[in-house]
Amino acid sequence: MNTFLSYLSIAALFALVLLPALVGFARERRIDRELREAELRRGPRPPGTAGAALPVTATRRPYLRSWARI
């Protein structure tokens, strides 16, 4: 019984260490899938612009109360 509890505690610690990495990996995959779907919905680009950067349409709002002034 003591050996079983030792194995169980090691498995639980191993799961606790791996859990944040697995959650982050799942989140990254979800974001990648959403970006791919958004790009497919946008439709084909005109010829010659496949590798070109798209203009930024969103405006950045300055964080007035932040200590980091960018």
Side-chain angles (χ1 to χ4, degrees):
M1 188 66 165
N2 198 11
T3 305
F4 174 72
L5 288 177
S6 296
Y7 281 131
L8 188 63
S9 63
I10 294 298
L13 287 174
F14 191 67
L16 283 175
V17 168
L18 282 181
L19 185 65
L22 293 175
V23 169
F25 181 71
R27 182 173 181 244
E28 289 290 324
R29 289 205 37 157
R30 179 183 53 87
I31 291 170
D32 287 343
R33 186 175 54 244
E34 289 175 1
L35 287 174
R36 236 179 294 138
E37 289 173 359
E39 189 173 335
L40 288 176
R41 270 186 266 129
R42 174 181 281 164
R45 294 189 194 170
T49 60
L54 296 175
V56 177
T57 57
T59 58
R60 252 183 97 182
R61 297 180 66 195
Y63 294 104
L64 300 176
R65 294 185 180 177
S66 175
W67 60 270
R69 302 285 182 195
I70 299 175

